[in-house]
Amino acid sequence: MRELMKVSREKMTAAVLYGKRDVRIEQIPIPRVEAGEVLVRVKAALTCGTDLKVYRQGFHARMIVPPSVFGHELAGVVEEVGEGVESFSPGMRVVSANSAPCNKCFYCERHQANLCENLVFNNGAYAEFIKIPEPIVQQNLLILPDNVDFRDAALVEPLACVLRGVEQTGIEEGDTVVVIGMGPIGLMFVQVLKSMGARVIALGNRTTQLKMAESMGADYGIDSTHSNVIEQVRKVSNGMRGADVVIEAVGSKETWQQALGMVRRGGTINLFGGCPSGTHIPLDSTLIHYSEITIKANFHHTPRHIREALESIHRGKFKAHHLITGEEHLSDLGTVLERLLNRNGDLKIAIIP
Ligand SMILES: [Zn+2]
Ligand SMILES: [Zn+2]
């Protein structure tokens, strides 16, 4: 198979999504770079829960209509720059975020660039090359410090979402914080919260991931499949009162509701995990009102958080390599995604073209 995949001048190897669980490795044209754009040779692309969702359902409502390239967490080397690009030149090591805001719309003007009405998304990281659109080149394409490797750098996008989530939740040193869900996002929260001096209670349904949470500093690891999980959390939270903050990083009806049972009076819940569209949940209004519970949610990132994420990886404050549990060749992407769907215990896999 591999002999067939030699790069010719106009073509590159890329993973193309054709539909539900149908990804094919093909030779497709290398994107042409126009004014303001940059072509990046991908050195590492990371698998992500969003990509898994896209793979399972065969499309993404906002950004991926098959047949289409996909994948959005990447780092690499600048191959070519379009007319007018001055900050980048071929050979530079870079990381690119998957989107950039317009800076002009209603939300951008209100410092909510993550909700920009004209977000430009970029997909196609599972390929030898990816073209970076002008707005991303201008705002969210960053040069890598020498000591940051490509795999670690590719984590900036999800980490930026997590950093923003923590910031928006308003957590103080010494707070007891429950994190529900020990997938890559939940584990990133554990690491960030511990670095801020929070007391962290990690909830997960797999022993391997609870162990990982503990190795990242979680003070307690609790099996979320226990029937009395809420009581177990309360036992170690402010003398049965409940946690100061609960961060939900699963995205299910059950765990959104569970979060409400774990928080103390006056506490905050961050419903970080997105549920399938159309999900509705009943909430105990008396509890929310008389216990004065703040319910928040967060989506996406801003250019500032992308920079902070890279800085945090660069300084070694955030250990990105703990989240990357393997490395595979691009030609094996289909197998890797199937494996991840079967929840084999892997977190993120670095896909190398
Ligand atoms: Zn992602
Ligand atoms: Zn905007």
Side-chain angles (χ1 to χ4, degrees), residues 48 50 72-73 157-158:
C48 160
T50 307
H72 62 276
E73 297 177 10
E157 188 268 328

Side-chain angles (χ1 to χ4, degrees), residues 48 50 62-63 72-74 95-103 105 107-108 111-123 135-136 139-142 153-168 185 188-189 272 297-310 348:
C48 160
T50 307
R62 280 181 81 178
M63 34 186 210
H72 62 276
E73 297 177 10
L74 74 121
V95 60
S96 172
N98 60 338
S99 75
C102 74
N103 294 319
C105 73
Y107 295 100
C108 283
H111 308 291
Q112 291 178 311
N114 58 303
L115 301 177
C116 172
E117 288 172 329
N118 310 303
L119 270 184
V120 170
F121 281 102
N122 197 26
N123 283 287
I136 302 183
Q139 302 174 72
N140 275 339
L141 183 64
L142 306 182
L155 203 77
V156 300
E157 188 268 328
L159 180 58
C161 298
V162 167
L163 292 179
R164 188 172 168 278
V166 168
E167 183 184 288
Q168 294 272 314
I185 293 286
M188 279 190 252
F189 269 110
F272 194 86
N298 283 129
F299 166 74
H300 215 53
H301 48 71
T302 69
R304 171 167 69 82
H305 294 97
I306 292 287
R307 279 156 184 76
E308 285 178 14
L310 180 55
K348 281 174 167 290

Side-chain angles (χ1 to χ4, degrees), residues 15-18 63-70 123:
V16 181
L17 182 74
Y18 275 83
M63 34 186 210
I64 293 162
V65 183
S68 170
V69 290
F70 68 125
N123 283 287

